[in-house]
Amino acid sequence: MTKHHRFLITLFAGLLLLGGISCSTPQKAEVDLIPMPRSVEYHRGAFTLSPETKFYTQLPTEGKEALARCLEGTLLGSVPFADEATGNNGISLNLCDSTVVPEAEGYRLEIGKKGVTLSASTEAGLFYGIQTLLQLLNNGDGKTLPAVTIDDAPRFPYRGMHLDVSRHFADKEFVKKQLDALAYFKMNRFHWHLTDGAGWRIEIKKYPRLTSFAAWRPFEKLNDWWTGGRTFCDQNDPRAVGGYYTQDDIREVVAYAAERHITIIPEIEMPGHSEEVLATYPELSCSGKPYVDADYCIGTEKTFEFLENVLLEVIDLFPSEYIHIGGDEASKNGWRKCPRCQKRMADEHLASVEELQSYMIHRIERFLNEHGRKIIGWDEIIEGGLTPGATVMSWRGEEGAIHAVKAGNPAIMTPGKYCYLDAYQDAPSTQPMAIGGYLTLEKAYSFEPVPDSLTTEEAALIQGLQGNVWTEYMTTPEHTEYMIYPRILALAEVGWTPAERKDWKSFHTRALHAVQFLKEKGYNPFPLDKEVGDKPESMRTEENLALNKSVTHLYPYSKQYAGEGDQALVDGVRGGWMYNDDRWQGFLNSDIDVTIDLDSITDIKQVYAEFLQLKGPYVWLPKQVIISASTDGKEYTTLATVDNDISPEVETLQFKTFGWEGNAKARYVRYQALSNGIEGGWLFTDEIIIR
């Protein structure tokens, strides 16, 4: 059997998995597809599958029989094969010349009253055209296809989803189930986060303790492990919770993904987020002791020997051109005191620990390049110098990608504000626990991956985008799916559909249908039809005496969470459910101390501001608020001192208003919110209101 024949068999196996669901909905003026195609031309009429409908392909008898077995049980399962092309009542699948369909993942679908012709110049294009056919059937009556001509191809070559299986393990069947859905919505990259401080998830034969020890912990939930000592245990310990993929599992999933034209990019974290490795092999750490360090020691050759041996086995398992090497959030603390790291810095003439990290990244990159692979890393790999061949995955906003493409490097957009699917997607009080953030379907859909500041040449280096699923609080498969869907569908359309073709109202309608389809297929999506929406206060302008008055900050606010800048606390705009909506103003490791000038001495009766607390991202309520007033800006009278009565140990999202009521005269109102002193802690407030 030829490679082409095997491909077409695999192609229709996808129909078995994702076909067969029909909804009794009338034909709409607009095709019910996600992502929306590049071009749709509508015609009169429709093509209806009947007992006489036949397939035509170039497959020989053996291939046709195999394909028929794959189609059993699907909407197309009863369609027989014709020995030669039929002009009427047929479905023709054609691999054509690139002059007809030039794009590698593009296709042309022609549906008329008499039949269907699907053409593509590559197997991937043919596959995506079949996903379109499947959606048209599944979203219609199961047998009628609208008469249309669709010319389609993706906007970006990289359309991905990341899944963290370190913090909470997901078995291979769960992974394959998500690959089915990603393929159905035309996504083509799966970033598999296989290692992190909470657990090692891939069998490495040279280092068996990585899966007999570092893959297991004596706690079911990550938070319990985090607060309970962060220790690991042997696989046969009765308390052991975790898991890993054997190399046979990996090969099975990689092949499964390839059949659906999804490339799996494995991630092996370095130099940080490596607590599980260093607890198992402490000689790779700066201290030489388990449970002390999170970063590999860069001063010892043992580290590079270990990483290179691991990567050799990873390369053997994954055919992906790229290997993700992490590179994010390394503390670098051990390196500053480690004699071996300091010697490495002196020997290599490195001026800082940032350059020491860059040394390690460059060295690993050379190793991978020598073995025919390239690296992707989180945007911290920019620090200390970026190599020409590296691809940057920009998660801390868009700045990393902008820096990369201006240096001539490819970049993938995955900023937390739009692409982190561990954030709340609706009113937090109605949702399961999340790490923080607030990312609605509409906000994910609004993402534009190409910043306006880029030239045409620079914009071409933006390869696409990725939705990230971090599983700190996702302890079950159902919860994980709830966080993925339908927001990943918004990113699928952002990655495929031309920007000028995007339409939120249309997408929302189509997403409602997609959620129902996913439920019928056994997924557990967020119930979009029951969405509560944003915080009511955020929907109106807050009229008050402080509105648009001059405000002075004694301590600077964070540039990352600036809101509308200097006037953010008096612009009348209240924050929503979470601090990352550009309406809350954040202060890191700092008190808040602001003074508002009311322009003239004014009778005031009320001063207040609201704060929020969420333990996961270290967002705290102030330990105390002091409100004072002055008529001359020199002598201040304390109006109120308000202490916080909510513990920082509370896990759930908290809102609290700190204020004063009474009677006073003031031109200047000073509002002080004191930090609780927890290192790395944030204070967030949205508006200081004076009445």
Side-chain angles (χ1 to χ4, degrees):
M1 190 185 303
T2 68
K3 178 182 177 183
H4 173 56
H5 299 154
R6 287 194 300 272
F7 160 71
L8 284 175
I9 293 170
T10 297
L11 200 65
F12 280 99
L15 301 182
L16 180 64
L17 293 162
L18 286 167
I21 300 296
S22 64
C23 305
S24 297
T25 56
Q27 182 177 334
K28 307 171 190 64
E30 179 182 67
V31 288
D32 192 354
L33 297 170
I34 296 177
M36 181 58 70
R38 179 175 65 184
S39 170
V40 182
E41 183 181 348
Y42 298 91
H43 311 296
R44 291 183 179 276
F47 174 69
T48 302
L49 298 177
S50 72
E52 288 74 38
T53 302
K54 296 181 180 180
F55 277 111
Y56 171 71
T57 74
Q58 300 94 334
L59 290 176
T61 301
E62 180 186 358
K64 291 177 182 178
E65 291 174 350
L67 181 55
R69 289 192 297 271
C70 289
L71 290 172
E72 289 177 5
T74 74
L75 294 175
L76 299 175
S78 61
V79 180
F81 293 97
D83 292 330
E84 57 185 34
T86 58
N88 295 324
N89 204 11
I91 301 174
S92 178
L93 309 175
N94 302 321
L95 280 172
C96 63
D97 190 88
S98 61
T99 57
V100 179
V101 181
E103 299 90 346
E105 294 180 299
Y107 64 91
R108 180 177 176 84
L109 178 62
E110 299 169 279
I111 303 174
K113 295 178 181 179
K114 296 182 178 181
V116 176
T117 301
L118 173 61
S119 304
S121 57
T122 67
E123 296 174 352
L126 203 59
F127 180 82
Y128 292 128
I130 288 180
Q131 304 316 304
T132 295
L133 272 176
L134 273 172
Q135 288 195 31
L136 290 173
L137 286 171
N138 290 331
N139 297 335
D141 62 6
K143 61 181 181 180
T144 305
L145 292 165
V148 292
T149 298
I150 296 176
D151 283 296
D152 202 11
R155 181 184 178 193
F156 293 104
Y158 189 111
R159 307 175 304 282
M161 188 184 86
H162 155 287
L163 179 64
D164 162 28
V165 294
S166 171
R167 290 169 176 83
H168 287 104
F169 181 67
D171 65 29
K172 66 180 180 182
E173 295 306 320
F174 177 83
V175 173
K176 289 160 69 175
K177 183 181 178 186
Q178 309 322 308
L179 293 173
D180 288 338
L182 294 180
Y184 186 69
F185 295 105
K186 301 185 176 73
M187 300 192 82
N188 66 353
R189 296 291 189 275
F190 180 70
H191 174 178
W192 210 353
H193 192 85
L194 291 164
T195 76
D196 208 302
W200 184 280
R201 305 301 181 199
I202 176 173
E203 179 187 21
I204 302 297
K205 294 187 181 296
K206 192 173 183 66
Y207 302 103
R209 287 260 315 152
L210 289 172
T211 45
S212 68
F213 181 75
W216 307 92
R217 57 192 187 227
F219 301 93
E220 183 175 354
K221 294 182 179 180
L222 179 75
N223 191 58
D224 295 337
W225 172 80
W226 186 263
T227 59
R230 306 179 203 176
T231 57
F232 298 90
C233 63
D234 287 320
Q235 182 175 358
N236 58 7
D237 189 310
R239 303 168 299 164
V241 175
Y244 65 91
Y245 308 102
T246 68
Q247 293 199 356
D248 285 343
D249 290 336
I250 295 287
R251 292 189 181 95
E252 179 183 337
V253 175
V254 167
Y256 193 87
E259 291 172 353
R260 289 150 183 78
H261 292 274
I262 295 173
T263 299
I264 296 184
I265 298 173
E267 180 175 356
I268 306 298
E269 270 278 10
M270 61 185 83
H273 287 284
S274 300
E275 292 94 332
E276 85 287 21
V277 176
L278 303 181
T280 310
Y281 298 105
E283 65 271 20
L284 304 180
S285 68
C286 290
S287 70
K289 301 175 183 178
Y291 305 118
V292 173
D293 299 290
D295 307 332
Y296 289 106
C297 177
I298 310 305
T300 176
E301 284 299 302
K302 290 181 180 179
T303 290
F304 293 95
E305 178 186 353
F306 170 82
L307 290 173
E308 289 174 4
N309 285 332
V310 167
L311 289 171
L312 283 173
E313 295 194 34
V314 170
I315 289 169
D316 186 56
L317 292 168
F318 293 92
S320 167
E321 178 185 11
Y322 287 94
I323 306 293
H324 202 299
I325 50 81
D328 62 310
E329 297 182 328
S331 72
K332 310 177 182 69
N333 291 333
W335 303 348
R336 294 181 173 91
K337 300 176 183 178
C338 174
R340 293 179 299 186
C341 288
Q342 290 299 308
K343 183 177 185 300
R344 178 81 75 186
M345 289 175 65
D347 291 347
E348 299 292 336
H349 309 290
L350 306 174
S352 65
V353 289
E354 286 72 29
E355 290 188 12
L356 183 61
Q357 172 164 324
S358 187
Y359 163 84
M360 190 219 77
I361 298 296
H362 292 180
R363 184 165 165 180
I364 293 296
E365 181 178 18
R366 286 196 300 273
F367 175 80
L368 287 170
N369 291 165
E370 289 167 0
H371 290 81
R373 305 304 176 91
K374 299 177 182 178
I375 70 164
I376 294 178
W378 303 109
D379 54 52
E380 285 93 334
I381 68 172
I382 293 171
E383 299 167 5
L386 189 62
T387 60
T391 296
V392 172
M393 193 166 273
S394 189
W395 72 278
R396 297 177 300 177
E398 300 175 349
E399 292 74 16
I402 293 171
H403 180 107
V405 300
K406 287 186 178 295
N409 291 67
I412 297 160
M413 283 294 193
T414 181
K417 183 176 175 180
Y418 298 100
C419 298
Y420 269 45
L421 306 184
D422 53 345
Y424 289 103
Q425 58 191 316
D426 200 4
S429 63
T430 70
Q431 297 302 296
M433 181 69 73
I435 194 170
Y438 182 59
L439 177 61
T440 63
L441 182 68
E442 183 175 9
K443 188 167 185 177
Y445 190 75
S446 72
F447 180 44
E448 170 46 54
V450 180
D452 292 338
S453 61
L454 301 183
T455 66
T456 302
E457 292 76 16
E458 292 164 349
L461 290 170
I462 300 292
Q463 299 298 293
L465 74 163
Q466 175 174 285
N468 290 339
V469 182
W470 300 100
T471 61
E472 281 92 343
Y473 291 95
M474 301 177 204
T475 59
T476 66
E478 293 78 16
H479 187 182
T480 305
E481 289 182 348
Y482 184 92
M483 302 301 280
I484 293 172
Y485 308 104
R487 289 181 294 183
I488 198 66
L489 310 189
L491 298 180
E493 183 145 312
V494 172
W496 182 283
T497 304
E500 63 273 13
R501 288 275 288 160
K502 286 174 57 185
D503 181 298
W504 161 246
K505 185 176 180 181
S506 163
F507 175 78
H508 184 262
T509 299
R510 290 178 280 121
L512 287 167
H513 301 156
V515 164
Q516 182 60 33
F517 169 77
L518 288 165
K519 286 175 64 178
E520 291 170 348
K521 294 300 296 177
Y523 293 82
N524 185 48
F526 165 73
L528 185 60
D529 59 333
K530 295 179 174 61
E531 186 175 19
V532 173
D534 211 344
K535 202 173 177 208
E537 296 94 317
S538 68
M539 305 295 189
R540 62 176 184 263
T541 299
E542 194 72 61
E543 300 288 346
N544 71 103
L545 295 174
L547 184 63
N548 297 324
K549 294 297 192 289
S550 174
V551 59
T552 303
H553 291 72
L554 182 61
Y555 304 114
Y557 49 81
S558 165
K559 292 182 179 178
Q560 184 179 358
Y561 297 104
E564 291 300 316
D566 291 347
Q567 294 297 110
L569 301 184
V570 292
D571 62 0
V573 178
R574 298 295 302 276
W577 290 122
M578 199 53 63
Y579 54 83
N580 66 334
D581 65 0
D582 295 328
R583 292 175 282 185
W584 294 86
Q585 193 166 72
F587 297 76
L588 176 62
N589 291 321
S590 170
D591 298 337
I592 299 174
D593 193 335
V594 298
T595 301
I596 298 169
D597 182 355
L598 299 177
D599 294 334
S600 62
I601 296 174
T602 306
D603 290 323
I604 62 171
K605 298 182 181 297
Q606 189 180 42
V607 179
Y608 66 91
E610 187 174 45
F611 295 78
L612 56 78
Q613 175 170 298
L614 191 60
K615 182 180 178 182
Y618 271 43
V619 176
W620 309 113
L621 295 171
K623 69 176 181 181
Q624 186 180 76
V625 164
I626 303 167
I627 301 169
S628 52
S630 171
T631 57
D632 60 6
K634 298 176 182 178
E635 299 294 329
Y636 280 82
T637 300
T638 299
L639 301 178
T641 299
V642 186
D643 294 321
N644 178 35
D645 58 0
I646 297 177
S647 168
E649 294 304 314
V650 175
E651 292 281 350
T652 54
L653 178 67
Q654 301 291 314
F655 291 92
K656 184 175 176 64
T657 297
F658 293 79
W660 160 84
E661 288 188 6
N663 290 284
K665 291 183 179 294
R667 172 173 174 175
Y668 301 94
V669 176
R670 184 181 183 189
Y671 194 101
Q672 297 167 269
L674 308 184
S675 165
N676 64 12
I678 297 176
E679 181 64 26
W682 290 87
L683 287 176
F684 279 93
T685 190
D686 58 345
E687 193 78 2
I688 296 174
I689 296 167
I690 303 174
R691 302 193 190 282

